Amino acid sequence: MTTTAPPAPAPAAPGAPAAGAARPAGFVRRNRVWFMVGVGVVLALVIAVWAGSDEQRNATPLDPQNPDPDGAQALAQVLEDEGVDVTIVRSADALHDLEVDSRATVVVTSTDQLAPSTIRRLRDDTTGAEVVLVEPPHHVLAELDRRLEAGPADDETTGDCDDQRFDDLTITVDSARAYDTANGCFPSDGGFVLADGRDDASYLGAGQALTNDQVLRGDNAAVALRLLGSRDRLVWYVPTYDDALDDEAVSLWTFAPGWLAPSLWLTALAGVALILWRGRRLGRLASEPLPVVVRAVETTRSRGRMYRRSDDRGYAAGALRAAARHRIADHLRLGRGASAAEVVSAVARHLGRREEEIGALLSPTAPTPDSDPTLVRLAQELTQLMREVRRG
């Protein structure tokens, strides 16, 4: 029994779209509303996850949970690996509840957000502990010791002091400050980058030495570990303006609810999505007929009136001669690159006339007409010359 195979389908013409090629595009077009709703839901989930992860990550400079270059997460993790009990507190109430004793070191970053009331609470809650204030600003120094001043320090300083922990170590940062206390380490410009203050407090003017970006420069890591890891317990205090009293300085975000920042991000992303959805895309350029047709003779006459109004006979004569040379060169097949001298010579040979006579009409160096009648006569002579060339 013989079976005949069905004929093979004819190949599709080149460039012809496949039968199902338009289906995905049509599906997206018909369901674009639901598609945009799905994108919005995904964005909302991403923002919710981001907002809920704030407790695990903080973008504040020198924060122990900040993995960015200006954060201090690397130092905090190394201290924990070395056996130091690192406790992070972000409010004055949390610091008070810890009951810090003499076996702990308290490091205070974000010192610019310390208010007078929080400074007093810090003193009371850290009695007996070693307190390290990182780059305290002027208003904090004035609260601690009114006679204390701070100034710029060298970018690289060596630990020349009585404390053997820092002897011969070097701090290397991009910028530092020195405090004019009586004692300290890393002397620079009449002060100390690590200055000894009152009540077992010290001031570190090189906060960059603790950051993820610069902790490995010079001996920064050794200085940081010996300064903050000398005791079994380290309390990392990150103050905020929220702890300040009502009559003290606060930030604008203090009055804002916690959901405001995620809502602003969601609103901005929704606005971008709406623009992409409803915005008109630029297509191909479309040529449309002009509503008004301007004849070439009208353009020529308009230019002539402008030349006459400006009394520029030289430019008009040059334009007439250039147009005549161009047309004659095309008629004699001299090419577009033919010079004026070549055109003059070709016309003279073609008509059997002298080059001087032809050059007085066609040459760009010919005399300029000194009056309107002379310019009109030149135009008539050029017209007559082109007729002779065509007839010849």
Side-chain angles (χ1 to χ4, degrees):
M1 179 176 180
T2 304
T3 304
T4 303
R23 292 180 181 177
F27 175 79
V28 174
R29 189 180 301 108
R30 290 193 304 270
N31 299 275
R32 60 181 179 181
V33 175
W34 293 107
F35 179 76
M36 297 303 299
V37 171
V39 172
V41 171
V42 172
L43 292 177
L45 292 176
V46 171
I47 292 177
V49 172
W50 168 76
S53 63
D54 286 345
E55 297 181 356
Q56 302 299 327
R57 175 172 177 171
N58 198 294
T60 305
L62 293 177
D63 192 282
Q65 290 181 332
N66 183 1
D68 296 332
D70 59 349
Q73 187 179 46
L75 176 59
Q77 292 179 351
V78 172
L79 287 170
E80 288 182 343
D81 295 341
E82 293 295 326
V84 179
D85 182 14
V86 179
T87 304
I88 302 172
V89 293
R90 302 186 182 277
S91 67
D93 293 337
L95 180 64
H96 176 75
D97 296 338
L98 280 180
E99 298 180 357
V100 178
D101 54 19
S102 59
R103 295 174 299 176
T105 299
V106 180
V107 57
V108 185
T109 55
S110 300
T111 51
D112 58 318
Q113 300 199 35
L114 285 172
S117 60
T118 51
I119 294 175
R120 291 191 294 269
R121 296 183 63 180
L122 175 64
R123 282 178 169 178
D124 298 337
D125 296 335
T126 58
T127 302
E130 181 183 2
V131 180
V132 180
L133 297 172
V134 180
E135 295 185 351
H138 176 73
H139 74 275
V140 175
L141 295 177
E143 189 70 22
L144 297 172
D145 188 351
R146 296 186 179 276
R147 298 172 298 178
L148 190 61
E149 296 291 340
D154 297 333
D155 298 343
E156 183 173 330
T157 54
T158 303
D160 184 8
C161 58
D162 297 334
D163 194 338
Q164 296 181 356
R165 293 180 301 172
F166 311 112
D167 197 18
D168 295 334
L169 295 181
T170 301
I171 292 180
T172 305
V173 292
D174 293 336
S175 63
R177 298 183 66 81
Y179 305 94
D180 60 347
T181 56
N183 298 309
C185 285
F186 304 98
S188 177
D189 296 335
F192 298 96
V193 176
L194 180 60
D196 295 336
R198 297 180 178 179
D199 303 329
D200 292 333
S202 57
Y203 315 127
L204 177 62
Q208 292 180 348
L210 311 180
T211 61
N212 303 324
D213 185 37
Q214 302 194 36
V215 71
L216 297 180
R217 293 182 62 185
D219 299 323
N220 295 348
V223 173
L225 293 176
R226 295 181 185 184
L227 177 62
L228 305 182
S230 59
R231 304 189 182 187
D232 296 336
R233 186 183 184 191
L234 173 66
V235 178
W236 202 304
Y237 178 34
V238 185
T240 64
Y241 286 128
D242 297 334
D243 294 327
L245 298 178
D246 294 339
D247 57 345
E248 293 177 333
V250 293
S251 65
L252 180 61
W253 287 105
T254 303
F255 305 100
W259 49 263
L260 180 59
S263 299
L264 293 177
W265 278 105
L266 181 59
T267 302
L269 292 175
V272 173
L274 180 62
I275 293 174
L276 295 176
W277 175 34
R278 301 299 297 177
R280 297 180 59 187
R281 296 184 178 180
L282 296 177
R284 295 181 179 179
L285 295 178
S287 59
E288 298 181 0
L290 293 176
V292 179
V293 178
V294 181
R295 297 181 179 179
V297 65
E298 295 181 5
T299 304
T300 305
R301 291 174 180 175
S302 299
R303 290 182 178 178
R305 285 193 292 267
M306 288 190 296
Y307 295 152
R308 183 176 182 181
R309 190 179 301 113
S310 61
D311 199 20
D312 192 356
R313 300 185 187 89
Y315 187 86
L320 292 173
R321 286 167 173 156
R325 288 196 304 270
H326 177 72
R327 294 174 182 175
I328 292 174
D330 288 344
H331 182 76
L332 297 180
R333 299 181 180 180
L334 299 178
R336 294 182 178 270
S339 63
E342 293 174 350
V343 174
V344 170
S345 299
V347 172
R349 291 193 304 269
H350 184 72
L351 298 179
R353 297 166 62 177
R354 295 184 303 164
E355 292 188 7
E356 292 79 3
E357 180 183 356
I358 303 300
L361 295 176
L362 294 179
S363 177
T365 59
T368 302
D370 54 358
S371 62
D372 290 344
T374 309
L375 181 62
V376 173
R377 190 181 310 113
L378 174 63
Q380 294 174 348
E381 292 176 354
L382 290 174
T383 303
Q384 181 63 29
L385 179 65
M386 287 186 289
R387 290 175 180 173
E388 293 178 3
V389 170
R390 286 195 296 269
R391 287 198 302 265

